[in-house]
Amino acid sequence: PEFTSLLQGSDHPLVVPVLLAGLQTNSRDELLPLLVRHLPRAEATIRRMLQSRQGADLANAALLAARGRMVAAIPLLRKALQHPDPAVQAAVIRSLGELGDHKSTPELRRKLQHQQSIVRRAAIEALSTLGDSRLAPQLLKLLRKGGEMEVAAIAALGRMREVASLRSLHGRLPTATGNTRRALLRAIAE
């Protein structure tokens, strides 16, 4: 807390490097708002981080690029989709969705078949954020199967706001329990 309050009002040239280094050890929730404030000075560093092969650097840079609406980072994010770490791929996928990169839709659709659920879940989130209406039938199929992707599919269908999908979600309410029921209620209420 003292660290972040000290840096809050500072325009010192070392603020950005200190904040970026702090991402490795401190809470993202505390540091990200400060970094977004200093984003114009941090963009070159974030671009370098996106070119790194270090997983933590890539994931943090992807998150910062999305929060800071760094559309210029999209080409680097697309390249980072090939990183071997599924957590990095998931961060990059979410960032592409948040940045509204419709050109990456074909690659994001391929990520729906990834062996790691963290990557599949991120692809579902990104594609629904991008409003890919062709995703709805796949999501409805996931609902029928149940399993670990069910809650992600429900949330995505809720974000898409398609009448037929919302009706399908509503129809599942009477028999749903636990996390599935909570996800259905959130998706319908949004």
Side-chain angles (χ1 to χ4, degrees):
E2 300 92 30
F3 175 71
T4 54
S5 62
L6 175 69
L7 295 174
Q8 187 95 34
S10 177
D11 281 330
H12 191 279
L14 291 177
V15 168
V16 170
V18 167
L19 288 172
L20 289 170
L23 273 180
Q24 305 301 325
T25 58
N26 293 327
S27 167
R28 286 182 176 179
D29 294 336
E30 293 175 26
L31 297 179
L32 281 174
L34 293 173
L35 267 165
V36 169
R37 179 178 171 267
H38 291 282
L39 197 63
R41 292 189 352 219
E43 284 189 21
T45 304
I46 292 168
R47 276 194 291 279
R48 276 194 305 280
M49 289 169 68
L50 285 170
Q51 293 170 331
S52 165
R53 295 307 296 162
Q54 298 296 318
D57 282 351
L58 269 169
N60 286 328
L63 184 62
L64 286 169
R67 293 270 170 89
R69 308 299 304 155
M70 277 182 61
V71 177
I74 288 174
L76 294 172
L77 288 166
R78 286 184 195 144
K79 286 181 186 174
L81 277 173
Q82 306 312 317
H83 194 277
D85 183 345
V88 171
Q89 287 184 41
V92 169
I93 289 166
R94 285 188 187 95
S95 295
L96 287 168
E98 288 179 41
L99 288 170
D101 181 26
H102 291 276
K103 289 183 180 177
S104 67
T105 299
E107 181 63 26
L108 297 180
R109 289 182 70 73
R110 283 189 284 280
K111 295 292 184 180
L112 290 170
Q113 307 306 318
H114 197 279
Q115 62 188 12
Q116 297 289 322
S117 63
I118 187 173
V119 174
R120 293 192 309 270
R121 209 175 351 264
I124 287 170
E125 290 173 23
L127 289 165
S128 66
T129 299
L130 290 170
D132 185 354
S133 60
R134 295 176 301 164
L135 181 62
Q138 278 183 288
L139 294 175
L140 290 169
K141 199 181 297 182
L142 281 173
L143 283 181
R144 286 189 289 278
K145 276 189 193 174
E148 64 180 313
M149 301 305 290
E150 185 176 35
V151 171
I154 291 168
L157 286 165
R159 277 192 299 276
M160 293 170 72
R161 310 307 302 159
E162 290 183 355
V163 174
S165 298
L166 290 173
R167 280 191 189 127
S168 177
L169 293 178
H170 193 269
R172 297 178 64 81
L173 263 174
T175 59
T177 59
N179 288 339
T180 301
R181 184 171 181 78
R182 281 189 286 284
L184 284 167
L185 290 169
R186 262 194 312 273
I188 293 167
E190 285 180 347

